[in-house]
Amino acid sequence: MATFGTLSDRLTETFRNLRTKGKLTPADVDGTVREIRRALLDADVALVVVKDFTAKVRERALGDEVNRALNPAQQVVQIVNEELVAILGGEQRRLEFAKTPPTVIMLAGLQGSGKTTFAGKLAKQLEGEGHTPLLVAADLQRPNAVNQLQVVAERAGATIYAPEPGNGVGDPVKVSKDGVEYARRHQHDVVIIDTAGRLGVDAELMKQASDIRKATSPDEVLFVIDAMIGQDAVNTAKAFQEGVDFTGVVLSKLDGDARGGAALSVASVTGRPIIFASTGENLEDLEPFHPDRMASRILDLGDILTLIEQAQQAFDEEEAMKVAEKLANEAFTLEDFLEQLQQMKKMGSMKKMLGMLPGMGQMKQQLDDFDEREIDRTEAIIRSMTPGERRNPKVLNGSRRLRIARGSGMTVTDVNQLVQRFDQAAKMMKTVARGGTPQIPGMGPMGKPGASAKRGKKGAKSKGGSRSGNPAKRAAENAGMATANTTPTGSGFGLGGQQAPSEADLAEIQKLFGKG
């Protein structure tokens, strides 16, 4: 979440200073609130929102709920998290569909805010949910706006209604109204109307948008706002609310490098919920907006739930069962490995997925250095092999490896490294399939607490282990000691029990898919 990176860094540093304090004095609370206020203002959060937010945090931080807490610093972080969720809208709000189709969704916003791209993203997402959306090209002012929507619709695999060429020709109100009728006749259950924008708020824009709303009676009016436009976001949102009114907000360009904090103010200032967050240029880069998950990301507490949901969408359960069976039978091949890589690519950016893990905000440099193209290079090497070579890499002699390297545009060293990594990964997977504990170089043993790696070094005896003569008792005592030693100590702020991945962990993930 690049847009809120600076805010996240400032808040992380502020809370890190609290961890060493066993008890918070009023001076500690005031100092913390002061730093939070500065961080929010530097991130372009609206002043009225900042004042209200910090006042609530201070009041709760000085209250009894902190004084009675076992760890006051943790409680302050929890308070900030809860108040962040509140200014982001509280609870998630989904699209509301009409009882009698079609559901009409009107998009509004300034020119360049990302309305047309969002229209394609929304159409693609709705199609994936079993709907039959129709895109209506009602932006007839901006040059080539109709052509752009046609291209986006083709990429999304959606139907488009574009009777007018645009470029200043045609009546957008009539096109919108006719588009709804077209959808009704051709049994499209959702209509997405892409309206015109301007470089700034003006009376003509508001009148046109208002006329389209009156003519189509939309079930949802979504205000698309660029997360990077700064303080003007609040003024623009207020102007659209007064001129057209809207039922929900879409945050676009959340993958940008701007401060973007003004976007945090929209829900609080307008009282309208944020429904979607656009996090990239691809049509798949659209997420339902969860205030609690966004607050967790800003506070570097991770977003495991979104990560799990993306994995569930990308991975096929039947294919996963087949892979598990092959692992158990030691029949996992490079062909299977290639299929797994392709399924991982469906989940989207590897950097994005790693960024959802708790504590990853403290490893930004390592994330920036992570080369996602290595997955494509790995795929190219495997595709340059024959089916027989993929099934049995042991037949890869020198001449075969040279041919594969030339066919994939890589070097023989790259091919050798891939085969070595695959052998290591296959061994780990077989160990897991058998119920064992895998040993990853640089990461140590993984798995159940207390489990020891088989065939360990004879001289590597654990210190302080149980010496009981009863084998069952000895095993239980050793397991208990190992559990105590391996229990996570919490995240960067002392919340939760999940540890941030180490640099060695990230390096091993990089090695698994590409060059180290």
Side-chain angles (χ1 to χ4, degrees), residues 437-450:
T437 305
Q439 178 88 23
I440 301 179
M443 293 178 68
M446 301 175 65
K448 298 177 181 178

Side-chain angles (χ1 to χ4, degrees), residues 63-304:
D64 291 339
E65 59 181 305
V66 172
N67 295 334
R68 292 196 303 264
L70 181 63
N71 187 329
Q74 291 180 2
Q75 192 70 17
V76 170
V77 177
Q78 183 65 26
I79 290 171
V80 172
N81 182 57
E82 291 172 359
E83 293 300 331
L84 259 183
V85 173
I87 69 171
L88 288 170
E91 296 181 356
Q92 182 202 13
R93 213 272 262 167
R94 298 178 178 273
L95 285 176
E96 294 182 357
F97 294 93
K99 295 181 179 178
T100 304
T103 298
V104 180
I105 301 174
M106 173 183 166
L107 306 184
L110 295 180
Q111 186 172 309
S113 61
K115 291 191 306 299
T116 302
T117 304
F118 169 70
K121 291 180 177 181
L122 181 58
K124 186 174 180 64
Q125 186 174 104
L126 290 173
E127 281 202 341
E129 296 173 358
H131 296 281
T132 54
L134 173 71
L135 292 173
V136 176
D139 183 355
L140 306 180
Q141 277 71 38
R142 182 167 59 89
N144 294 318
V146 175
N147 291 338
Q148 182 189 356
L149 187 63
Q150 288 172 336
V151 172
V152 170
E154 185 177 353
R155 287 174 54 203
T159 306
I160 182 172
Y161 178 77
E164 299 289 352
N167 298 319
V169 178
D171 181 2
V173 178
K174 184 177 186 303
V175 169
S176 301
K177 190 174 181 179
D178 292 347
V180 175
E181 290 301 320
Y182 179 91
R184 189 172 287 113
R185 289 196 309 269
H186 292 79
Q187 297 182 343
H188 291 278
D189 67 342
V190 179
V191 179
I192 303 172
I193 304 175
D194 181 27
T195 66
R198 298 289 190 279
L199 295 177
V201 176
D202 60 30
E204 184 183 355
L205 166 63
M206 291 304 173
K207 185 178 186 309
Q208 184 183 109
S210 180
D211 290 343
I212 291 175
R213 175 162 191 168
K214 291 175 183 176
T216 59
S217 300
D219 301 281
E220 293 276 14
V221 179
L222 301 183
F223 174 55
V224 183
I225 188 167
D226 185 342
M228 301 190 295
I229 66 173
Q231 280 293 331
D232 198 39
V234 175
N235 298 329
T236 304
K238 284 183 177 178
F240 268 90
Q241 187 176 23
E242 294 170 0
V244 185
D245 201 5
F246 49 85
T247 59
V249 179
V250 177
L251 294 182
S252 66
K253 305 179 185 178
L254 278 181
D255 56 325
D257 295 326
R259 290 174 291 182
L264 299 178
S265 314
V266 175
S268 180
V269 170
T270 65
R272 298 293 185 267
I274 302 172
I275 300 180
F276 290 105
S278 181
T279 58
E281 296 180 359
N282 297 323
L283 292 182
E284 295 80 13
D285 296 333
L286 181 67
E287 301 175 4
F289 188 84
H290 298 266
D292 54 341
R293 300 183 191 181
M294 183 59 69
S296 293
R297 290 196 207 182
I298 292 172
L299 295 178
D300 197 23
L301 299 176
D303 187 0
I304 299 299

Side-chain angles (χ1 to χ4, degrees), residues 294-333:
M294 183 59 69
S296 293
R297 290 196 207 182
I298 292 172
L299 295 178
D300 197 23
L301 299 176
D303 187 0
I304 299 299
L305 288 177
T306 298
L307 187 59
I308 291 172
E309 288 175 358
Q310 291 182 357
Q312 288 174 336
Q313 292 174 2
F315 283 87
D316 183 87
E317 187 175 351
E318 185 177 342
E319 286 297 323
M321 293 297 293
K322 289 180 181 178
V323 170
E325 186 177 345
K326 287 185 177 182
L327 288 173
N329 297 327
E330 301 187 10
F332 189 76
T333 67

